[in-house]
Every structure is written in structure tokens, then in C-alpha cells.
């Protein structure tokens, strides 16, 4: 097409008198139209290819450089846009603009992540999850870069590279990917008793969340809120998910890692696309600086938390994620969080872990994003005006006007940026600093076990069983016996029963707490905890059940009785559940009444681990076919074993008989609950709405670990 014709046919962009339609044209980066995109420029039809083919060279060269270094940690993640809205003004505590006016919606961008794995690793591995929130406030960007666990492995930033090196794949063979179950990690942490509390969290079900939408978030460190009078108080930040706090079964998480490594990323994306916007409540624990001593917990020690039972959480606002990124690379990959991005009214504490982070993020991003101007990328740019005299640098996005690049100046209103006295701008909270310079640590950091014990004591029996199983899994994969022994000896300082149970399968000696005495970093000191138990540390029973967005598998084959199940599906959908029909093949199955039912997925491309609950409709033909289909039987067995709610209507219960013990409906009764979370229904006796209500009731606790014969049911 000649330039003239190209101009004539184009509509969207005007330059001077000419109009261009950008979408219909394929161009180079310079805007030169490409005649066709399938053949390079050759001398003759069979080559050679010519160096002068600038179109080919540009395309390949861009491709060659389209990867950037992945994040050193938290490389694997997914993000979403949304907003934060305050409940009530917080002016008593902070001058931060976005915490003053409940009418304002502050835009946010949130990135969730795993910490250890590379960019392509699976979502569902056992790991701490990143929970990083960027608030685009009228006073600049504020980043709350937290995790889904309230404590951390180490107390001082200088240990971070060692921790991460120990945790990452071992350098000689680059194994294992995204897993803590190997020698170097347990070698390091067993020599670092301060990590014991975090290890308890890491071995708990918190490390295998069901969804990013169903996990808590924590700022971890103590920060400070500062009001307009300059008065400050200590603060800990907490995110509470509206959908409650849920986890996977370990067996499930491992299977999903193979079947759908993008499980969490997909789950977040799908929920937002469907309009099921994830929501969290932001809460704060406020501690007057003068009251810190009364707590008996050093607020600067990131291996400690303040139990809600000691300082309640004040809910201050809610965050809703309602928009998926338009482009993963431009947004999720190029976003640069930094705990040093603060706004007036919020300040750091002297937590030595936090202090190190203040250096590390900018430094890390210099190489990851290729220079000092990454704040200018659209996803990182503040929404408020920016004025400074920083110039140049790789990838400068702004063409700064004028001759002045310094301050003060007289050539360009050089004093206009000065703020008046101490009333405006970011004011660091004044703080007394101890005058002795020394490489040391406060003795108040020495207690390494009391909160690990508090955490253990606060877990339900099932949670304790899962923690023991997780330690056993990880430590069984440790080849060096001495490391296994050392770790279990450390656990003896947390709880002797825990250590004994973990050690029982590890081929080691009986745990010996005294073995650790004198070891580097080990201090035989355990503070008496002010609490024996803190129920808030358990995942059980803390949230009002909310079953919305959970997924129900409806297992069906030819001969399914649609009449009894159709209404149940409609009722479940009406309360926000997603039902999908799983059949022996794609397309349609024939129902008992001769109609057809569309199949969403088959036993070949999905399995029970992708669902939260299972519905087994009636119909003799369907039930008999499913009982003879190994994958359908396995589906039901696996869901049973993972404690999932199961509802069987009429003959649908036949599939349950494959579990190997009696699951018969009771005569004369519409509903039978043979074991927790399993509901068998006689649809002829059930009154309207009764089936879905019974099924929903079974879904409320999410899992039923207390059901009979759980272990003897083979999967
Ligand atoms: Fe990070 N951390 N971190 N971290 N961190 C990074 O920043 C670092 C720590 C956390 O989605 C890096 O841009 C040090 C605690 C999240 O982009 C890096 C120390 C907590 C994310 C870095 C810590 C976190 C990161 C990697 C010990 C919870 C992902 C690339 C002093 C409160 C943010 C980058 C995202 C990412 C350093 C410890 C959370 C290397 C030195 C504690 C959620 O700069």
C-alpha cells in the first residue's frame, strides 16, 4: 500500500492533516509498514537471507531481549487491580491522607507470590506467600509489602542471603525446585534456632493456601503511625479475607502442582473475570510506644507476633480487587514494590530486618528493571504530581523541560519545591538513637522458642497432625542424619510430643533438648509466655463461613436423573457456587428422561482436587456406569479422603459404596448423614430446598477431617 493509500484508508490517529488507522497495519517499531510477516528477505527463493533485512533483525533482536531477570525471591506471582476504602477517619493516629476520608477510594495494585520457586514453578508448593499492596495515594505511593504469615525466619537482614541460598535449589545440581525439603535448608535453619517459630508456620497448612483469595496477609514488621501533631504509635498490619481462611490438603497441593501449576493464578483471574471480586479487611494492632515493655515481646523482633488476644485488631477499611491486569509482563512483572515507599503519617521502626529491606528492594530493582527510572513505568508511577531534579539514567521516560537540573536555582523558580518548616512533606518521626556503634543484637531477641510453643499449643488436633506430617515429609527428604537429628532436637524445645512424633519415622535417636546447648546461635533461654494458648493462631473456626465461589463437581453419565438435580444446581449457583458437570466424554450425555445434558469436563482432564465439593446425582444408568469407571470411583474416593463435602441423591449413593463401607440411606428419612460431610438424600421424601440446604450445611466447615475410616479408605 502506498503512503497515500495508507493515509487515505486510515481513521484513528491524526498527525497534521493525515489520519492513520493503527490497528489494520503491521509496522516496525519505527512505524514503517511491514508488507508481510512470514518471509525474510532473501537473495533468490532459496536464500541466502540478507543482512539488510532490518525487519527480521528488529523482530529477532526484540525477541532475544524480551526476558528480564526474574525476582531473586518471589519470582512466581500474580496480580490484580482494585481499591481500598476506609471505614472511619484515622486522624487520631495518622496524618496519612488515604487514611482520613472514608469517601475516597484509593487505587491499589496487589501482587501475590510464592517465595522460593522460579518464575515457572508451581503455585501450590509449600511456601510462605507474598502479599504486596501498592496504594496509589494522593500523597504518593505507599507499599505494604507483606506475607501470608505474621513472622519471619530471621531477625537481622544480614542473614537473608544465607537463608535464601539455603532454601533455593542446591547449587551443584539445581535441585529441588520450589521446595524446602532438602538438606541445605534444614542444615541452615537447624543452626538458626530463631527460625523455629516461622518453621511451625511453614509446616502448617497456612503454607498451602486453597486460594490467594482465602489467605490472610501481614505487614510482619512493626511500623509507626504518626499523627499531625507528630505523636506516633506502633502498628502491626493485618489483612483478613472475606471468604475465610482455607488451605489445601498436602496430597492435594502436590497433585495440583502437576495437574495445574497455574492453579492460584487461574483462580484469581477467573474469580475477577466472573465478577466474584476478592475482598480483604485491613486491620491494625495499635500499641502505644510506652506500653511496649508491658507486652514482654520485643516489637522489633520479626520472629515474634502480638497475639490478637493481647492486642485486638481494629478493622480500618476494606480492599476489593476488581480488575485483572491488561498485560502480565507490563504490570505483574514490572511492578516494583519497596517497603521504603512510605507516605507522610506512616514510618518505619528500627526492626533490623526491615532496615535491611529498605536498601535491598531498590538495589534489586536496579538490575531487575534495568536502571533508576523504573518508577516511571506506568504500573509504578504515582498518580499524584512528581517534582524532582533527578535526570538521565537508562530508560528515561520523561523529557524534562528547561536548562535547570539542580536545586536551589534562580533560573527556574528553584525554591518552589521547598516545604515550610516541619509541617509539610514526609517528616521522619524523631527517635532517640543509642550512641554505641557495635555489631550486636538486643538480648530481648534471645527467646527463640516460646512463641513456637504458643503456636503449637494453639492448634487443633488436625492442624497438629498436619504439622507433624509436614515436618516428616520435609525431614525424610534430608539425606544427612545429623541434620535430621539436630532439627528434631530443636523441636524438643518447642514441645516434646511434637519432637517425638516427628522423629519417630526419621531413623534418628530420641529427641534430646540438651543436645543443642553450646551450639552456635543457640541460647538456652525461653521466656514464659503471657499466654498458654492463643486461639487466633489456629485456622479453625475463626471466620464466619462464606461458601461463595467454591466449586462443585457434578458427576454424571448417560441415564442421569436430571429432574432431581437440576433444581439443586440452580440453588447452589444462586448462592454463588460454581457447578460443573464431569462426564465420561465431552459433548452431551443423555438423561433418564431422554433429554441431553452438556458436559463441562471429563474424567480425563480434571480430578477431584480441582473442586471443593462433589454432587452425585441420581439415575440408575448413570450410577452403574460411574461405578464401573475407575476414574469416577477414584474421584469420589479422593474427595472423601480429602475431607470434602459430598452429597449423593438417590442412586448417586451407589458410588459411595465403592468407599468400602456402608453408606446406605436410612429408610423413611429424606436425609442421611452416615459420616461428617457426607449427605445422602432421598429426593422423593425431601421437601423443596432441603437437598441444597443440607449440602450447603456440609460445606460450611470446608473440610471434614473427622470422618470415619479416613485412613483406611485407599486412594
Ligand atoms: Fe522481600 N524481597 N526481603 N521480604 N519480599 C523481595 O524485591 C528482602 C522479606 C517480600 O511481589 C525482593 O523486587 C530482604 C520479608 C515480598 O514484587 C528483594 C529481606 C517480607 C516480595 C527482597 C526480605 C518480604 C519480596 C526480590 C530480609 C514480608 C515480592 C525482588 C531483610 C514482610 C514483592 C524485589 C513483589 C521481594 C529482599 C524479607 C516480602 C530481593 C533483603 C520479612 C512480598 O529485594
Amino acid at each position: 500500500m502506498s503512503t497515500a493509500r495508507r493515509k487515505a484508508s486510515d481513521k484513528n490517529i491524526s498527525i497534521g492533516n493525515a489520519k492513520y488507522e493503527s490497528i489494520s497495519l503491521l509496522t516496525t517499531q519505527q512505524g514503517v509498514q511491514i508488507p508481510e510477516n512470514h518471509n525474510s528477505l532473501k537473495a533468490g527463493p532459496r536464500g541466502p537471507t540478507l543482512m539488510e533485512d532490518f525487519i527480521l533483525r528488529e523482530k529477532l533482536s526484540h525477541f532475544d531481549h524480551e526476558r528480564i531477570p526474574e525476582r531473586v525471591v518471589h519470582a512466581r506471582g500474580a496480580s490484580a487491580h482494585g481499591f481500598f476504602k476506609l471505614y472511619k477517619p484515622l486522624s487520631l493516629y495518622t496524618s496519612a491522607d488515604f487514611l482520613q476520608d472514608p469517601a475516597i477510594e484509593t487505587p491499589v495494585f496487589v501482587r501475590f507470590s510464592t517465595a522460593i520457586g522460579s518464575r515457572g514453578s508451581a503455585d501450590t508448593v509449600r511456601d510462605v506467600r507474598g502479599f504486596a499492596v501498592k496504594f496509589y495515594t494522593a500523597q504518593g505511593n505507599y507499599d505494604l509489602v507483606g506475607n501470608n504469615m505474621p513472622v519471619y525466619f530471621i531477625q537481622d537482614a544480614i542473614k537473608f542471603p544465607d537463608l535464601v541460598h539455603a532454601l533455593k535449589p542446591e547449587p551443584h545440581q539445581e535441585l529441588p525446585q520450589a521446595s524446602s525439603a532438602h538438606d541445605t535448608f534444614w542444615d541452615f535453619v537447624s543452626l538458626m534456632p530463631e527460625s523455629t517459630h516461622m518453621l511451625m508456620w511453614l509446616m502448617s497448612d497456612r503454607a498451602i493456601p486453597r486460594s490467594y483469595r482465602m489467605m490472610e496477609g501481614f505487614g510482619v514488621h512493626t511500623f509507626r503511625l504518626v499523627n499531625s501533631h507528630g505523636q506516633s504509635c506502633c502498628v502491626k498490619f493485618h489483612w483478613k479475607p472475606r471468604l475465610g481462611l482455607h488451605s489445601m490438603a498436602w496430597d492435594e497441593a502436590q497433585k495440583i502442582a502437576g495437574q495445574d501449576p497455574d492453579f492460584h493464578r487461574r483462580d484469581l483471574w477467573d474469580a475477577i473475570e466472573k465478577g466474584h471480586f476478592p475482598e480483604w479487611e485491613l486491620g491494625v494492632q495499635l500499641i502505644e510506644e510506652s506500653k511496649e515493655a508491658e507486652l514482654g515481646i520485643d516489637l522489633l523482633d520479626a520472629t515474634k507476633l502480638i497475639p490478637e488476644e493481647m492486642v485486638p485488631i481494629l478493622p480500618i477499611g476494606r480492599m476489593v480487587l476488581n480488575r485483572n491486569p491488561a498485560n502480565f509482563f507490563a504490570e505483574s512483572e514490572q511492578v516494583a514494590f519497596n517497603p521504603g515507599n512510605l507516605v507522610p503519617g506512616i514510618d518505619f521502626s528500627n526492626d533490623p530486618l526491615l532496615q535491611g529491606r529498605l536498601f535491598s528492594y531498590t538495589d534489586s530493582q536496579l538490575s531487575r528493571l534495568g536502571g533508576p527510572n523504573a518508577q516511571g513505568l506506568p504500573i509504578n508511577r504515582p498518580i499524584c504530581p512528581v517534582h524532582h531534579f533527578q535526570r538521565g539514567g537508562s530508560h528515561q521516560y520523561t523529557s524534562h523541560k528547561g536548562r535547570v537540573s539542580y536545586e536551589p536555582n534562580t533560573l527556574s523558580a528553584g525554591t518552589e519545591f521547598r516545604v515550610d518548616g516541619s509541617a509539610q512533606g514526609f517528616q521522619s518521626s524523631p527517635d532517640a538513637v543509642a550512641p554505641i556503634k557495635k555489631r550486636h543484637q538486643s538480648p530481648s531477641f534471645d527467646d527463640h522458642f516460646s512463641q513456637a510453643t504458643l503456636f503449637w499449643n494453639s492448634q487443633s488436633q488436625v492442624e497438629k497432625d498436619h504439622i507433624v506430617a509436614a515436618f516428616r515429609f520435609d525431614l525424610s527428604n534430608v539425606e544427612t542424619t545429623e541434620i535430621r537429628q539436630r532439627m528434631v532436637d530443636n523441636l524438643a524445645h518447642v514441645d516434646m510430643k511434637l519432637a517425638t512424633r516427628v522423629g519417630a519415622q526419621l531413623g534418628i535417636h530420641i529427641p534430646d533438648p540438651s543436645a543443642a546447648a553450646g551450639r552456635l546461635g543457640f541460647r538456652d533461654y525461653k521466656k514464659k509466655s503471657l499466654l498458654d494458648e492463643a486461639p487466633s493462631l489456629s485456622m479453625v473456626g475463626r471466620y464466619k463461613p462464606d461458601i461463595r465461589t467454591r466449586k462443585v463437581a457434578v458427576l454424571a453419565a448417560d441415564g442421569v436423573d436430571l429432574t432431581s438435580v437440576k433444581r439443586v444446581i440452580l440453588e447452589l449457583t444462586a448462592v454463588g457456587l460454581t457447578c460443573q458437570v464431569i462426564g465420561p466424554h465431552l459433548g452431551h450425555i443423555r438423561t433418564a428422561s431422554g433429554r441431553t445434558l452438556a458436559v463441562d469436563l471429563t474424567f480425563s482432564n480434571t480430578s477431584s482436587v480441582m473442586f471443593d465439593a462433589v454432587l452425585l446425582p441420581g439415575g440408575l444408568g448413570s450410577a452403574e456406569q460411574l461405578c464401573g469407571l475407575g476414574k469416577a470411583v477414584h474421584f469420589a474416593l479422593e474427595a472423601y479422603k480429602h475431607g470434602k463435602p459430598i452429597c449423593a441423591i438417590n442412586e448417586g449413593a451407589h458410588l459411595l459404596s465403592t468407599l468400602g463401607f456402608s453408606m446406605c440411606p436410612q429408610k423413611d428419612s429424606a436425609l442421611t448423614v452416615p459420616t461428617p460431610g457426607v449427605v445422602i438424600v432421598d429426593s422423593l421424601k425431601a421437601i423443596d430446598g432441603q437437598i441444597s440446604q443440607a449440602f450447603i450445611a456440609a460445606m460450611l466447615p470446608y473440610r471434614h477431617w473427622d470422618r470415619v475410616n479416613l485412613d483406611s479408605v485407599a486412594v
Side-chain angles (χ1 to χ4, degrees):
M1 194 189 281
S2 72
T3 311
R5 276 179 57 209
R6 182 179 156 190
K7 280 184 194 166
S9 68
D10 295 336
K11 299 168 214 133
N12 287 354
I13 305 169
S14 314
I15 301 174
N17 296 334
K19 286 185 186 299
Y20 296 89
E21 183 179 49
S22 54
I23 28 170
S24 67
L25 304 173
L26 202 56
T27 73
T28 64
Q29 288 185 30
Q30 305 299 325
V32 175
Q33 193 187 355
I34 296 171
E36 62 110 321
N37 196 29
H38 291 190
N39 290 294
S40 50
L41 186 67
K42 299 179 199 80
R46 302 184 65 228
T49 304
L50 298 176
M51 266 291 276
E52 74 169 65
D53 189 351
F54 65 95
I55 296 175
L56 170 73
R57 277 191 285 112
E58 180 198 86
K59 190 173 173 186
L60 289 184
S61 181
H62 188 272
F63 170 77
D64 293 345
H65 299 276
E66 69 190 19
R67 290 284 179 276
I68 59 171
E70 65 174 36
R71 288 166 174 81
V72 194
V73 283
H74 296 267
R76 169 89 189 161
S79 326
H81 294 268
F83 65 85
F84 171 77
K85 213 162 174 210
L86 193 70
Y87 294 149
K88 291 200 286 215
L90 270 196
S91 45
L92 194 58
Y93 304 106
T94 174
S95 61
D97 182 80
F98 80 108
L99 297 176
Q100 305 302 314
D101 185 354
I104 289 178
E105 281 187 1
T106 303
V108 297
F109 186 70
V110 180
R111 185 172 181 274
F112 303 106
S113 49
T114 54
I116 329 174
S118 309
R119 261 196 72 181
S121 58
D123 279 344
T124 60
V125 297
R126 176 175 297 283
D127 198 357
V128 58
R129 297 298 185 289
F131 193 130
V133 183
K134 191 178 281 294
F135 298 81
Y136 301 90
T137 88
Q139 289 174 307
N141 288 353
Y142 168 55
D143 291 357
L144 183 53
V145 197
N147 277 346
N148 76 330
M149 296 176 190
V151 288
Y152 203 64
F153 295 97
I154 45 172
Q155 296 169 318
D156 193 309
I158 200 165
K159 297 176 179 176
F160 188 68
D162 298 308
L163 166 74
V164 175
H165 288 168
L167 194 45
K168 285 270 184 183
E170 299 187 9
H172 58 321
Q173 3 112 299
E174 183 79 357
L175 284 172
Q177 178 56 245
S179 168
S180 54
H182 60 116
D183 283 48
T184 58
F185 175 65
W186 291 98
D187 186 25
F188 178 79
V189 290
S190 62
L191 293 170
M192 198 59 61
E194 72 201 46
S195 65
T196 315
H197 186 195
M198 179 67 172
L199 290 175
M200 299 296 294
W201 286 81
L202 189 70
M203 293 298 116
S204 80
D205 290 349
R206 301 260 185 168
I208 38 174
R210 154 67 178 83
S211 160
Y212 289 141
R213 303 175 292 124
M214 299 171 196
M215 61 183 202
E216 293 180 338
F218 303 89
V220 178
H221 312 278
T222 300
F223 292 88
R224 276 189 289 193
L225 293 183
V226 187
N227 68 16
S228 53
H229 305 293
Q231 295 157 333
S232 76
C233 71
C234 298
V235 61
K236 293 255 185 195
F237 291 104
H238 297 253
W239 293 106
K240 303 270 181 195
R242 268 286 145 82
L243 293 175
L245 185 56
H246 298 298
S247 284
M248 292 176 172
W250 174 230
D251 177 58
E252 200 180 8
Q254 287 174 291
K255 287 172 175 165
I256 296 176
Q259 290 178 29
D260 185 6
D262 306 307
F263 186 85
H264 285 148
R265 181 181 286 191
R266 193 187 308 284
D267 168 272
L268 180 67
W269 177 277
D270 285 352
I272 293 175
E273 287 302 296
K274 283 185 189 146
H276 300 311
F277 301 139
E279 214 175 305
W280 285 260
E281 187 162 69
L282 180 62
V284 288
Q285 282 179 302
L286 299 170
I287 303 128
E288 277 178 47
E289 288 180 20
S290 59
K291 299 268 167 66
E292 190 188 336
E294 285 172 29
L295 286 174
I297 299 167
D298 195 322
L299 289 175
L300 303 186
D301 176 356
T303 66
K304 305 289 187 303
L305 52 82
I306 313 296
E308 290 176 34
E309 288 76 1
M310 290 172 78
V311 179
I313 295 176
L314 172 73
I316 63 166
R318 70 189 185 106
M319 174 172 77
V320 178
L321 299 183
N322 57 9
R323 181 162 57 92
N324 277 317
N327 182 279
F328 185 91
F329 180 83
E331 299 169 51
S332 309
E333 205 53 23
Q334 295 203 119
V335 67
F337 291 95
N338 186 345
N341 289 348
L342 285 191
V343 288
I346 304 181
D347 207 347
F348 314 117
S349 69
N350 289 338
D351 174 345
L353 194 69
L354 174 61
Q355 294 282 322
R357 292 179 75 199
L358 301 180
F359 161 75
S360 192
Y361 287 68
T362 338
D363 189 44
S364 174
Q365 284 147 15
L366 276 176
S367 60
R368 189 169 72 79
L369 296 168
N373 291 313
Q375 304 87 311
L377 289 165
I379 193 66
N380 296 325
R381 215 180 276 158
I383 55 169
C384 63
V386 173
H387 299 277
H388 56 73
F389 289 102
Q390 292 157 27
R391 300 289 184 262
S394 318
H395 318 303
Q396 179 55 263
Y397 305 93
T398 310
S399 182
H400 295 102
K401 305 268 176 331
R403 65 199 290 193
V404 169
S405 56
Y406 55 89
E407 192 274 347
N409 66 69
T410 56
L411 298 176
S412 173
T415 52
E416 74 180 279
F417 303 111
R418 280 180 187 266
V419 296
D420 211 2
S422 62
Q424 295 175 44
F426 184 88
Q427 303 292 335
S428 289
S429 182
D431 210 3
V433 177
I436 298 163
K437 185 164 74 179
K438 203 176 155 196
R439 211 172 271 285
H440 60 172
Q441 177 174 278
S442 164
S444 54
F445 278 37
D446 279 355
D447 164 26
H448 296 150
F449 295 105
S450 66
Q451 288 211 342
T453 306
L454 177 66
F455 181 79
W456 172 252
N457 290 343
S458 308
Q459 304 301 298
S460 64
Q461 193 52 50
V462 171
E463 288 172 301
K464 283 184 175 170
D465 293 346
H466 290 183
I467 291 171
V468 169
F471 270 115
R472 281 181 181 167
F473 176 90
D474 261 47
L475 290 172
S476 306
N477 282 297
V478 169
E479 291 162 0
T480 314
T481 321
E482 293 73 25
I483 296 176
R484 299 201 292 268
Q485 182 75 54
R486 194 160 66 215
M487 191 57 230
V488 175
D489 290 343
N490 279 0
L491 290 182
H493 290 265
V494 178
D495 184 272
M496 199 56 191
K497 248 196 224 148
L498 162 71
T500 312
R501 286 183 67 191
V502 171
Q505 291 186 350
L506 295 180
I508 54 171
H509 302 297
I510 294 168
D512 175 10
S514 67
R519 196 186 299 138
L520 187 74
F522 189 89
R523 295 171 193 85
D524 196 6
Y525 167 70
K526 183 165 164 177
K527 239 185 199 171
K528 172 89 188 83
S529 177
L530 293 181
L531 298 172
D532 292 329
E533 271 181 45
S536 64
L537 301 179
S538 161
M539 290 176 69
V540 177
R542 304 222 355 259
Y543 283 82
K544 201 167 134 249
D546 187 338
I547 61 166
R548 284 174 304 161
T549 77
R550 291 199 204 154
K551 289 173 75 180
V552 180
V554 184
L555 307 197
D558 285 342
V560 64
D561 173 17
L562 198 56
T563 31
S564 60
V565 79
K566 207 168 160 187
R567 194 174 174 145
V568 179
I569 293 178
L570 283 175
E571 285 164 358
L572 297 180
T573 313
V575 295
L577 293 157
T578 303
C579 297
Q580 285 183 301
V581 175
I582 324 289
H585 54 78
L586 283 176
H588 290 85
I589 49 178
R590 280 190 314 282
T591 71
S593 60
R595 306 177 74 169
T596 56
L597 175 68
V599 172
D600 298 304
L601 296 159
T602 73
F603 294 108
S604 302
N605 72 349
T606 195
S607 74
S608 82
V609 295
M610 299 292 163
F611 293 88
D612 300 296
V614 180
L615 179 60
L616 304 172
L620 195 58
S622 170
E624 279 178 354
Q625 224 192 108
L626 293 180
C627 284
L629 201 63
K631 284 183 175 167
V633 172
H634 182 75
F635 201 111
L637 282 169
E638 198 177 44
Y640 184 86
K641 194 110 175 138
H642 292 153
K644 291 181 178 168
I646 302 175
C647 175
I649 304 174
N650 307 337
E651 298 86 355
H654 291 187
L655 199 58
L656 295 178
S657 63
T658 57
L659 296 175
F661 53 95
S662 169
M663 286 277 185
C664 298
Q666 276 169 15
K667 271 193 188 147
D668 307 324
S669 137
L671 296 177
T672 312
V673 180
T675 182
V678 175
V679 186
I680 301 180
V681 191
D682 182 336
S683 70
L684 292 176
K685 298 193 184 106
I687 54 167
D688 277 359
Q690 198 179 3
I691 305 179
S692 50
Q693 274 168 26
F695 193 18
I696 287 169
M699 287 187 215
L700 296 182
Y702 194 58
R703 304 254 182 194
H704 298 273
W705 296 118
D706 51 345
R707 58 178 49 152
V708 288
N709 291 343
L710 195 58
D711 280 337
S712 64
V713 174
V715 175

